[in-house]
């Protein structure tokens, strides 16, 4: 599926091509998202105390996520000053990351993982990556360096996807990863409870003692349960708003807030500002239905 989006306030365009992985990989990888951005984005930027973002020039924000791989075809600098034109690991984070380019264009790909799947598939300890942006070359894993070569040697999205499938099929666990199954069960329970679950309740669902559960959860997901619940609720709220926008339906912000377990609209607005650098009303005005859970580049 390809989607082209134009921001009403600027002249930039963003082109998305979303390809689903093989069915066997879908419990781990939600989608492969290929994106090209042209122009500058000033609708959502990290705080302006960093001089690189004062004017919002050539910023492509990446919203909070559960941990992802991003491949970039031209040199990009993130808010931490890391430069890369290859595969980069994003640890789970709760803040918008601003990716800036000197050229005014950006081309790349996002591997959108399910929470905990980077650990289950590749043994990556998300706690060590939490809040970080790390080049694969610095991470030093041979398998990921091989993955980097796939991107660099394959220019077309349609050609990359089957090669990614083959790579990850080779990393599927030979038997069920019990802790990953527990994490998925806990996340389903959190969704059903609209995020209103304590760590003690989550540990009970996982059939683990609370201390052991916290240790497992942080290794697989990268952030404590309380932070994850906030991030998950934020994503689910964005998903609902996108679905309403795609169906050209009215978005009642107060109704959306209550539906997703916020105390009220002001509570939801505070979460949006803290995690997305944008107000709910601003997002509603944009109304761009780009992805399922919005852990992806924004135009």
């Amino acid at each position: 599926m390809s989607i082209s989006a134009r921001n009403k306030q600027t002249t930039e365009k963003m082109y998305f091509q979303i390809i689903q992985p093989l069915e066997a990989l879908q419990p781990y990888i939600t989608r492969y998202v290929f994106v090209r951005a042209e122009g500058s984005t000033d609708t959502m930027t990290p705080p302006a105390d960093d001089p690189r973002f004062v004017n919002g020039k050539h910023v492509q924000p990446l919203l909070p996520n559960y941990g992802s791989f991003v491949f970039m075809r031209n040199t990009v600098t993130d808010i931490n000053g890391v430069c890369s034109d290859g595969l980069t690991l994003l640890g789970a984070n709760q803040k918008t990351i601003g990716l800036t380019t000197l050229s005014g264009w950006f081309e790349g790909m996002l591997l959108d993982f399910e929470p905990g799947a980077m650990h289950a598939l590749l043994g990556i300890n998300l706690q060590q990556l939490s809040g970080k942006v790390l080049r694969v070359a610095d991470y030093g894993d041979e398998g990921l360096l091989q993955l980097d070569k796939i991107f660099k040697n394959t220019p077309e999205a349609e050609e990359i996807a089957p090669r990614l499938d083959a790579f990850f099929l080779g990393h599927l666990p030979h038997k069920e990863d019990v802790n990953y199954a527990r994490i998925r069960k806990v996340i389903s329970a959190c969704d059903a409870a609209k995020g209103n679950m304590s760590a003690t309740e989550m540990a009970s669902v996982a059939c683990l003692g609370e201390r052991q559960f916290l240790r497992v959860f942080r290794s697989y997901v990268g952030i404590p349960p309380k932070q994850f619940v906030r991030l998950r609720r934020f994503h689910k709220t964005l998903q609902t708003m996108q679905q309403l926008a795609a169906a050209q339906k009215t978005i009642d912000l107060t109704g959306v807030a209550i539906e997703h377990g916020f105390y009220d609209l002001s509570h939801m607005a505070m979460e949006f500002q803290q995690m997305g650098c944008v107000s709910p009303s601003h997002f509603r005005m944009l109304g761009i239905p780009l992805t399922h859970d919005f852990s992806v580049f924004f135009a």
Side-chain angles (χ1 to χ4, degrees):
M1 176 173 61
S2 297
I3 303 172
S4 172
R6 180 187 291 271
N7 187 305
K8 299 180 181 67
Q9 297 182 357
T10 63
T11 58
E12 91 282 353
K13 296 179 181 178
M14 293 193 77
Y15 302 94
F16 286 78
Q17 186 171 6
I18 301 173
I19 299 178
Q20 299 298 325
L22 291 176
E23 186 175 355
L25 293 171
Q26 289 176 15
Y28 303 91
I29 302 171
T30 311
R31 65 192 64 78
Y32 307 132
V33 183
F34 300 83
V35 60
R36 180 182 173 92
E38 302 173 3
S40 63
T41 300
D42 59 9
T43 55
M44 286 174 54
T45 62
D49 55 358
D50 186 316
R52 288 171 296 174
F53 300 108
V54 170
N55 298 317
K57 271 197 169 181
H58 309 319
V59 175
Q60 307 301 338
L62 180 66
L63 284 185
N65 64 88
Y66 309 121
S68 303
F69 289 172
V70 175
F71 175 76
M72 296 167 271
R73 290 203 187 279
N74 62 330
T75 301
V76 172
T77 305
D78 78 351
I79 197 169
N80 298 316
V82 175
C83 294
S84 177
D85 60 353
L87 187 63
T88 301
L89 283 69
L90 301 181
N93 73 85
Q94 283 190 279
K95 295 183 178 180
T96 300
I97 296 174
L99 303 177
T100 64
T101 69
L102 297 176
S103 59
W105 69 273
F106 175 97
E107 184 177 69
M109 197 217 71
L110 178 95
L111 271 71
D112 200 3
F113 288 93
E114 293 290 336
M118 289 173 68
H119 189 295
L121 274 179
L122 302 169
I124 297 174
N125 187 325
L126 268 291
Q127 185 171 0
Q128 296 175 352
L129 279 180
S130 181
K132 295 180 181 177
V133 179
L134 194 65
R135 293 178 299 180
V136 164
D138 296 330
Y139 188 71
D141 182 89
E142 286 297 324
L144 295 183
L145 289 172
Q146 177 187 350
L147 192 60
D148 193 27
K149 291 179 181 178
I150 291 176
F151 293 121
K152 289 180 177 177
N153 298 330
T154 315
E156 300 298 328
E158 292 83 354
E159 298 175 11
I160 294 178
R163 297 189 68 183
L164 291 178
D165 285 340
F167 177 87
F168 287 112
L169 283 173
H171 288 80
L172 280 177
H174 296 297
K175 58 181 181 179
E176 182 184 46
D177 184 324
V178 176
N179 283 331
Y180 183 56
R182 286 173 171 146
I183 295 298
R184 289 175 61 84
K185 186 176 180 182
V186 166
I187 291 171
S188 294
C190 282
D191 290 345
K194 298 181 180 179
N196 294 313
M197 288 188 74
S198 65
T200 301
E201 291 170 326
M202 293 165 75
S204 178
V205 171
C207 298
L208 293 172
E210 187 169 352
R211 186 171 297 180
Q212 184 182 7
F213 168 73
L214 292 174
R215 190 164 54 245
V216 169
F217 193 89
R218 294 201 67 160
S219 294
Y220 275 73
V221 180
I223 52 180
K226 185 176 181 179
Q227 292 181 21
F228 173 81
V229 165
R230 290 181 61 206
L231 178 55
R232 185 73 171 178
R233 181 169 56 194
F234 176 68
H235 276 197
K236 290 292 183 182
T237 304
L238 290 174
Q239 178 186 341
T240 295
M241 292 177 68
Q242 287 181 297
Q243 290 171 342
L244 291 170
Q248 297 183 331
K249 294 182 178 179
T250 300
I251 301 176
D252 174 12
L253 293 179
T254 300
V256 170
I258 299 303
E259 177 185 349
H260 288 280
F262 294 99
Y263 299 127
D264 51 28
L265 180 54
S266 62
H267 180 207
M268 184 173 80
M270 180 182 67
E271 295 286 272
F272 266 61
Q273 290 287 0
Q274 289 182 0
M275 289 192 279
C277 296
V278 65
S279 69
S281 57
H282 192 170
F283 181 80
R284 179 178 60 181
M285 177 189 69
L286 295 168
I288 305 171
L290 293 181
T291 69
H292 172 70
D293 63 9
F294 212 63
S295 58
V296 73
F297 302 99
F298 181 81

